[in-house]
């Protein structure tokens, strides 16, 4: 049986962040509401020189070598912050990374579920073409608006997953359960650059979808909670996944409950310091788990719950591969977090309000203040101008 799964996993977040306790003070909210009630400490803030394309390209840059660039014949870009209604963000990334031209490049959208759809598509592609590799990207900038109840759950960042046969990090098991239902819990009409959310409904539906796919998964596979070393969740904010985990913890012994709770904590460390990155959030959580947990053995089964408002949910699983730790970038991510620069609330508000021209005016952006290798350098004739500083 051909093993297919995650061979490499990259991550990038912009170099600016906002401290949630400072946001709380400015919004006259008890800081505990954000840090405990919602479970977020820092929110990544994207400067105007970073968009969904550049965040994803920077995440991919971290993991790809020349052999990968040659072998990748499919780029699947999951996002709900796309920069163009026609041209896929995948084509820009394909060029910025110098990938083999004999490749497909597309964009997929279903709120925070997009990257999961991409991974499942990639799996099918590798099954048919075992020598190829697929680059799946999940990249978003979460924007609800200043002074909104969703504001505390914003964020920005991207993940890049290299999907291949005989993967180094995790094989993806075949059985999964997915569910779709038309719900208006969160949406963003094409004329708005901010999401609309019915926060309470989205929380309820997240829980309802989790319950449906988990129960169905157990019925279909005969698996139970004790078969899992950890369960990673889509994390719009870190408290959300915990609420879902709590509903099933009682199905396990005390040991199982302890293990899953401890690993849940590890799986939220990065997200707690980045915020919601929409379609990449589940995979940032997986990365956090693998890089932060000290005794997560190879062979462990990890459950993954993906949820994209609107809504589609899926529960699927993976098995950690021998020596998977050697294929992670723990030090690089520690440096990424340590080198970030804090912005004040007024600075964050100014960055939030800054927009690109929509009337064809040319603009040149200052990319010298953005340490990222790949940046948006401006817009000319309604065309975004991207720069890879390494070229
Ligand atoms: N100390 C500790 N906890 C506190 C607190 C304090 N001083 N004040 C409030 N809290 C807790 C609340 O009890 C609540 O916990 P609970 O959810 O376990 O009941 C939590 O903090 C949030 O408070 P709430 O009043 O529900 O927040 P809100 O209505 O202002 O906003 C969201 C919360 C998630 C609805 C809002 O941020 C949102 O709309 N986000 C975008 C949509 C989203 O992320 N949906 C998730 C599913 S995809």
């Amino acid at each position: 049986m051909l093993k297919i799964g995650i061979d490499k996993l990259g991550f990038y977040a912009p170099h600016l962040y906002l401290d949630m306790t400072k946001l709380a003070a400015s919004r006259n909210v008890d800081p505990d509401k954000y840090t405990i009630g919602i479970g977020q400490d820092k929110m990544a803030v994207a400067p105007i020189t970073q968009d969904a394309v550049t965040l994803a390209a920077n995440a991919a840059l971290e993991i790809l070598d020349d052999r990968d660039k040659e072998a990748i014949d499919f780029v699947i870009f999951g996002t709900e912050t796309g920069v163009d209604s026609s041209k896929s963000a995948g084509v820009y990334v394909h060029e910025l990374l110098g990938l083999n031209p004999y490749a497909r490049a597309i964009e997929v959208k279903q709120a925070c579920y997009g990257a999961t759809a991409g991974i499942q598509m990639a799996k099918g592609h590798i099954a048919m073409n075992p020598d190829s590799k697929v680059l799946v990207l999940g990249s978003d900038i979460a924007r609800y608006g200043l002074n909104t109840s969703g504001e505390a759950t914003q964020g920005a960042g991207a993940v890049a997953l290299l999907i291949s046969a005989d993967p180094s990090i995790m094989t993806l098991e075949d059985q999964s359960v997915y569910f779709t239902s038309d719900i208006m819990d969160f949406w963003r009409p094409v004329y708005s650059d901010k999401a609309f959310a019915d926060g309470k409904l989205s929380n309820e539906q997240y829980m309802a979808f989790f319950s449906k796919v988990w129960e169905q998964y157990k019925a279909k596979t005969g698996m139970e909670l004790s078969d899992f070393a950890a369960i990673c969740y889509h994390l719009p904010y870190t408290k959300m996944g915990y609420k879902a985990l709590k509903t099933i913890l009682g199905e396990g012994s005390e040991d199982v409950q302890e293990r899953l709770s401890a690993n849940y904590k590890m799986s939220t460390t990065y997200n707690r310091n980045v915020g919601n990155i929409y379609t990449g959030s589940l995979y940032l959580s997986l990365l956090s788990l693998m890089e932060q947990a000290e005794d997560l053995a190879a062979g462990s089964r990890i459950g993954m719950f993906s949820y994209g408002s609107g809504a589609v949910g899926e529960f699927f699983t993976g098995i950690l591969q021998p020596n998977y730790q050697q294929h992670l970038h723990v030090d690089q991510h520690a440096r990424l977090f340590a080198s970030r620069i804090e912005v004040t609330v007024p600075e964050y508000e100014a960055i939030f309000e800054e927009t690109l021209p929509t009337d064809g005016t040319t603009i040149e952006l200052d990319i010298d203040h953005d340490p990222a290798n790949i940046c948006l350098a401006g817009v000319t004739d309604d065309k975004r101008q991207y720069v890879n500083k390494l070229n």
Side-chain angles (χ1 to χ4, degrees), residues 9-39:
L9 177 47
F11 158 61
Y12 185 74
H15 72 293
L16 304 175
Y17 76 87
L18 178 65
D19 184 321
M20 296 302 287
T21 62
K22 307 232 172 104
L23 181 64
S26 141
R27 303 294 184 247
N28 290 318
V29 167
D30 180 347
D32 287 355
K33 174 173 175 183
Y34 291 170
T35 57
I36 300 168
I38 286 185

Side-chain angles (χ1 to χ4, degrees), residues 29-39 112 144 148-153 185-186 197-206 234-237 239-240 243 246 276 278 307-309:
V29 167
D30 180 347
D32 287 355
K33 174 173 175 183
Y34 291 170
T35 57
I36 300 168
I38 286 185
C112 304
Y144 292 91
T148 60
S149 69
E151 184 177 30
T153 64
D185 60 333
F186 170 107
D198 181 338
K200 292 270 174 286
L201 180 65
S202 71
N203 285 2
E204 275 165 35
Q205 291 300 327
Y206 179 109
H234 165 54
L235 295 176
Y237 51 96
K239 181 81 169 289
M240 185 78 247
K243 286 189 199 184
K246 261 196 329 204
N276 193 359
Y278 289 162
Y307 177 77
S309 290

Side-chain angles (χ1 to χ4, degrees), residues 96-129:
L96 282 163
L97 299 174
L99 302 183
N100 176 5
Y102 289 93
R104 296 181 179 127
I106 61 164
E107 185 171 315
V108 293
K109 175 179 66 192
Q110 178 28 57
C112 304
Y113 176 74
T116 302
I119 288 168
Q120 298 297 4
M121 258 191 265
K123 198 162 166 261
H125 179 79
I126 304 287
M128 301 288 284
N129 308 276

